[in-house]
Amino acid sequence: MVIRRSGRSRNCGSPFVVSSSLGGHHVPVCSPHSPFTRFVQSGSFAGLLLVCTAIIAFVWANSPWRESYFAAQHTQLVLALGDARLDLSLAHWINDGLMAVFFLLVGLEIKRELLIGELASRRRASLAVAAALGGMLVPAGLYAVFNAGHPGASGWGIPMATDIAFALGILALLGSRIPLGLKVFLTALAIVDDLGAVLVIALFYTAGMNLMFLGLAALTWGLALVAGWQGVRSLKIYGVLGVLLWFFVLKSGLHATIAGVLLAFAVPIRRPQPLGSLTALAPSGRGEQLGAQLRDLEDLLERAQSPLHRLEHALHPVVTFLVLPVFALANAGVTVAGSSVGSVSLGVLVGLLLGKPLGVVGGAWLAVKLRLATLPRQVTWGHVMGAGFLAGIGFTMSLFVSNLAFETDALLIQAKLGVLLASVLAALLGAGWLLVGVRNPARGAASD
């Protein structure tokens, strides 16, 4: 039997590929996936799905049936349990409830990268942190210049965000033209960017505090942290604590999605069961006996994963196929008729299209100049500029911050128009730059 680590899940939702030799043949635990299935699991499909749902929302909001779109957003849904009652509109359930699941996944990815991923290395982390900081501060500054003294000044956090699904989806579409180091750099940059967005939301886009619920939230998070420190592996326990934490955070005045990130940092990542002991369970036999043994071994491998990895793998399809498409459908519908491009739209456009690449390249250049970091292998400054353009795809996070920044429809529409237009242009500029304007050193060397 062969057990090999394969990085991210590509076969069975597990980071391990298991096969057993039987009469000279290798029998996989899971059947191979078709090309369509592999495409569905790729980053490019996640971006394509978001594009499709956003287009549907935009067309719906500008069709003769536009009233039904906005009526659906404001439909009230009530959840009652005893005396506890939540009465929120459908849009709030999506933005405060479903998006908490998205932020839980973001938090899990941040924690994994900090402990065992790209951000665990000081030099790689320094490059990503410097580029991400530049890519947040410069766009926010440019937006502030356009909106200083205007009603839209509170939207400075909108152009700070990067949509990791879209950005990595574009890189996936470019395939072998892009060096692996650039994909790693953009992933790490987006993770740091997400962390910055979470801090901005928590610190600057929060309503008045309810100290009682804030204390209950702190107590619940403390219980989750203790469970993590004690190595509790049951995801059901974290699920119950997570629902309570979400409710208390929602009632405290903090934005409810912060609960997802807080819970993520409590879920343990250590692996208590050594994988070496699994090799003693090599299956033998034929037919149904072999199949049963392989299924038992697959279950054992699944249990050997840390709670963080198991939860992350479970959430990826939920976020990709449900949370983000539903969010895009609920938030990308902007009626063009009667709308105008004002200082908010211009600030978002300039921030994402100009501020992002300038900030990313400037931050990375400063880190390299100070010898805090080096560029990844085969990555040039042209590649970094292309990554900066792709970082200007704000979409999900930028639309989310727009909803927090503005309460008036006029300013919110301006912000959404700016986000949608900037994201499309940033995707085209980034892909075009990397496809035409940058020579891949590896490909060039191979052709010489």
Side-chain angles (χ1 to χ4, degrees), residues 177-179 182 378-386 430 432-441:
R177 298 179 182 88
I178 304 303
L182 184 65
Q378 296 181 349
V379 171
T380 67
W381 286 110
H383 288 121
V384 176
M385 176 62 78
W433 179 276
L434 292 171
L435 188 62
V436 178
V438 181
R439 181 173 181 264
N440 189 336

Side-chain angles (χ1 to χ4, degrees), residues 222-233 238 266-268 270 272 307:
L223 292 175
L225 289 172
V226 170
W229 288 332
Q230 294 298 316
V232 174
R233 296 176 57 79
Y238 297 106
V267 179
R270 53 185 177 272

Side-chain angles (χ1 to χ4, degrees), residues 35-181:
F36 174 76
T37 306
R38 290 194 297 270
F39 169 68
V40 166
Q41 293 180 340
S42 68
S44 54
F45 178 79
L48 180 62
L49 187 59
L50 278 178
V51 169
C52 291
T53 50
I55 291 174
I56 291 172
F58 188 81
V59 172
W60 188 0
N62 290 278
S63 71
W65 304 280
R66 66 174 67 90
E67 295 300 327
S68 64
Y69 176 83
F70 296 105
Q73 283 185 327
H74 294 93
T75 300
Q76 294 296 119
L77 298 177
V78 180
L79 180 64
L81 182 62
D83 294 332
R85 177 184 175 91
L86 277 179
D87 188 354
L88 302 173
S89 68
L90 180 59
H92 278 99
W93 277 111
I94 293 170
N95 294 337
D96 294 349
L98 276 184
M99 286 301 284
V101 180
F102 167 73
F103 276 88
L104 172 57
L105 180 60
V106 168
L108 293 172
E109 291 177 339
I110 291 172
K111 182 174 181 177
R112 173 173 50 77
E113 291 295 327
L114 286 172
L115 295 180
I116 62 173
E118 292 303 318
L119 300 180
S121 165
R122 185 184 64 82
R123 292 184 71 82
R124 287 197 296 264
S126 297
L127 184 67
V129 169
L133 285 176
M136 289 186 285
L137 295 176
V138 175
L142 289 176
Y143 179 94
V145 169
F146 278 86
N147 289 274
H150 294 282
S154 60
W156 55 268
I158 298 171
M160 295 176 70
T162 295
D163 191 303
I164 187 172
F166 265 138
L168 294 180
I170 296 296
L171 285 187
L173 289 174
L174 297 179
S176 60
R177 298 179 182 88
I178 304 303
L180 177 61

Side-chain angles (χ1 to χ4, degrees), residues 199-246:
L199 293 175
V200 166
I201 291 169
L203 296 175
F204 300 102
Y205 292 106
T206 294
M209 297 290 184
N210 183 309
L211 294 181
M212 182 187 75
F213 281 107
L214 190 63
L216 290 172
L219 177 62
T220 306
W221 188 40
L223 292 175
L225 289 172
V226 170
W229 288 332
Q230 294 298 316
V232 174
R233 296 176 57 79
S234 174
L235 295 183
K236 293 179 181 178
I237 292 177
Y238 297 106
V240 172
L241 291 173
V243 171
L244 290 174
L245 180 61
W246 176 83

